[in-house]
Amino acid sequence: MAKRGDIMYERRLVMVPGPINFDPRVLRELAVEGLDHTSAEFVSSFAETLSMLRKVVHVGGEYQPVVIAGSGTLAMEASVTNFLERGGRALIVSNGYFGDRFAELLSNYDVHMDLLRPDKIGSQVNASKVVEAASKGNYDLITLTHVDTSTGVLQSIREIGKELMNEETIIVVDGVCSVGGEEIKMAEDGIDVLFTGSQKALGVPPGLALIWLSPKALQKLRSIKRSISPYYMNLSRWISIMRSYEEKKPTYFGTPAVNLVVALRKSLELILEEGMEKRYLRHKVLSEAFRNGMKALNLQLLADESSAAHTITAVKLPDAISSSSLVDLVRSMGVLIAKGLIKDINYFRVGHMGTVNANDIVATVAAIERALTKLGYKMRFGDGVAGAQEILHRYGL
Ligand SMILES: *Cc1c(COP(=O)(O)O)cnc(C)c1O
């Protein structure tokens, strides 16, 4: 009998929460040759990129996008350090590993932090609790994680943003696992600083940190005396570079990642061609199909139903099934899924964002079924697939 290695074809389906499968049209842009950062060709490409970045989060010219070479974590650090002075005050709202990372990174600086967590893992922090804490704490900034990739929890932002919009506090939102997949309307949501990394729902290989700044954030940058922000992360410097590019007059601070920027321009073009509302709907339907598939296999989801993200799902396993064995087995079948990030919980994570389609969901659920069966989990072949199919069919996919 043939062994698996004999009959598999190595085309991989990447269902981890970033990097994702990239559109070949985006990847081809990376192969551009002879592009320098002051050429007219690059300048116009960069200017178009910045203009499209505003559309993706539904804002106009009074908001400033910034593109820097680096990963999402760089964007994260730049997004807080620019708005704090020594002894400044931050409120960190955390639904998991990535929310906690704000506290970890800020512990490197001389600032005061308070941490707000939900009652249990898998829930989100109640908006009223955030507003209440904000009214008492006199914070310079509040951090929210739109989707915590460790738990698959979606934090509702608009309720908080609307309440705090007219306060001085800067609302910083980690949108690394959300921008381009989850609905995020920066102005309506009352967000002052939003950031992401290129490799998640925006569908560009890793290497770009993207940050959007509201008029309130821009004003704060002008008025802050001496922020704790290190040299390369100084947003005021980058803002003037971005503005020069938009005026078609390139100036230099650090060499832009030219190949990645033209790939981002292509990806944004494809995203806007699909249309943001359609894109949000696609992520909603596909995530619902995946969740329904898992529920049909009698598996429990880590995130509460009312706080479930549309870009990633975290799935719990019974103690008898080792999550790392399951993840390894599914990966050996050519479907890349991720292990859990929260200690002491037996679970795995599946990303469904960016280029993901209905076929990817069905294939992923099917591979999980085969792996579970092999690991001795009692289930009937096809139950999970049927659960996913039901939702896909309901939405006419
Ligand atoms: C991936 C991720 C990050 C970190 O981004 P890197 O590009 O890995 O540095 C931060 N926050 C969230 C919510 C993420 O999903």
Side-chain angles (χ1 to χ4, degrees):
M1 205 178 104
K3 296 193 298 291
R4 179 182 301 114
D6 298 335
I7 53 175
M8 282 293 288
Y9 177 69
E10 288 298 315
R11 182 155 59 77
R12 283 175 296 200
L13 180 56
V14 187
M15 300 296 284
V16 301
I20 61 168
N21 280 113
F22 303 115
D23 190 302
R25 288 169 289 183
V26 172
L27 292 176
R28 279 199 289 274
E29 294 290 315
L30 291 172
V32 64
E33 193 271 337
L35 190 64
D36 103 290
H37 57 289
T38 60
S39 62
E41 188 190 347
F42 179 70
V43 172
S44 78
S45 190
F46 203 175
E48 274 170 43
T49 302
L50 293 166
S51 153
M52 287 192 281
L53 281 172
R54 292 192 178 92
K55 294 192 179 133
V56 166
V57 299
H58 311 270
V59 293
E62 67 284 16
Y63 283 69
Q64 183 61 54
V66 175
V67 179
I68 315 176
S71 85
T73 306
L74 178 91
M76 196 171 189
E77 193 159 354
S79 290
V80 289
T81 52
N82 277 275
F83 299 94
L84 291 167
E85 293 172 331
R86 282 183 64 182
R89 297 174 60 78
L91 175 66
I92 292 157
V93 179
S94 174
N95 298 328
Y97 175 92
F98 286 102
D100 286 359
R101 182 176 268 196
F102 276 114
E104 194 191 332
L105 82 85
L106 278 176
S107 70
N108 291 283
Y109 298 91
D110 180 15
V111 292
H112 172 87
M113 298 176 259
D114 291 324
L115 195 57
L116 207 52
R117 290 205 181 102
D119 303 330
K120 68 164 189 48
I121 291 177
S123 301
Q124 62 173 303
V125 177
N126 212 296
S128 59
K129 285 209 172 134
V130 179
V131 174
E132 191 194 327
S135 71
K136 289 182 188 152
N138 190 29
Y139 297 107
D140 296 295
L141 64 83
I142 299 175
T143 71
L144 301 166
T145 307
H146 197 198
V147 171
D148 201 301
T149 322
S150 66
T151 51
V153 170
L154 176 72
Q155 173 74 49
S156 30
I157 293 181
R158 196 163 296 174
E159 288 165 86
I160 300 168
K162 280 211 152 83
E163 288 290 330
L164 302 177
M165 221 175 249
N166 299 317
E167 308 290 327
E168 257 191 57
T169 314
I170 297 288
I171 309 284
V172 178
V173 173
D174 176 343
V176 181
C177 197
S178 79
V179 175
E182 298 285 354
E183 180 170 333
I184 189 152
K185 297 186 170 155
M186 197 178 168
E188 253 175 79
D189 293 344
I191 301 170
D192 297 307
V193 184
L194 174 66
F195 66 86
T196 189
S198 50
Q199 77 275 23
K200 301 207 182 169
L202 288 181
V204 179
L208 291 179
L210 303 120
I211 306 171
W212 292 258
L213 301 155
S214 75
K216 186 167 118 190
L218 292 166
Q219 174 56 39
K220 175 85 178 186
L221 283 179
R222 283 190 295 270
S223 65
I224 195 163
K225 286 192 195 76
R226 203 176 158 74
S227 81
I228 55 171
S229 160
Y231 182 71
Y232 181 76
M233 282 182 225
N234 187 315
L235 287 175
S236 299
R237 290 177 190 279
W238 287 111
I239 286 164
S240 68
I241 301 296
M242 298 302 127
R243 289 191 176 145
S244 315
Y245 270 96
E246 289 192 87
E247 289 159 13
K248 309 281 165 77
K249 285 180 286 206
T251 42
Y252 172 75
F253 173 46
T255 308
V258 288
N259 296 59
L260 284 168
V261 170
V262 295
L264 174 62
R265 198 206 64 82
K266 173 55 80 179
S267 193
L268 293 170
E269 187 184 295
L270 299 174
I271 288 170
L272 294 170
E273 210 172 275
E274 177 180 21
M276 297 315 295
E277 301 302 328
K278 272 198 193 157
R279 200 170 167 91
Y280 303 141
L281 181 63
R282 174 164 60 82
H283 283 80
K284 278 190 183 140
V285 172
L286 297 181
S287 61
E288 190 183 336
F290 182 74
R291 289 197 304 273
N292 209 46
M294 294 300 101
K295 285 190 277 188
L297 292 172
N298 283 321
L299 295 175
Q300 285 181 350
L301 306 177
L302 190 54
D304 298 347
E305 189 95 39
S306 58
S307 307
H310 306 105
T311 48
I312 189 230
T313 300
V315 186
K316 288 201 254 187
L317 287 168
D319 292 341
I321 309 287
S322 135
S323 57
S324 58
S325 306
L326 179 92
V327 168
D328 290 346
L329 206 48
V330 173
R331 289 177 83 103
S332 77
M333 294 170 179
V335 180
L336 309 192
I337 62 171
K339 292 175 189 173
L341 268 179
I342 307 273
K343 269 196 297 238
D344 305 327
I345 302 182
N346 189 31
Y347 77 111
F348 63 95
R349 298 174 302 141
V350 171
H352 27 71
M353 61 182 120
T355 54
V356 65
N357 67 23
N359 302 333
D360 300 337
I361 298 294
V362 174
T364 304
V365 175
I368 291 169
E369 284 192 358
R370 298 202 299 286
L372 283 171
T373 302
K374 194 155 187 175
L375 294 172
Y377 184 72
K378 291 279 169 281
M379 49 153 277
R380 225 175 35 195
F381 264 135
D383 279 358
V385 171
Q389 294 275 61
E390 206 181 290
I391 305 296
L392 297 173
H393 177 69
R394 186 181 301 162
Y395 287 95
L397 284 174

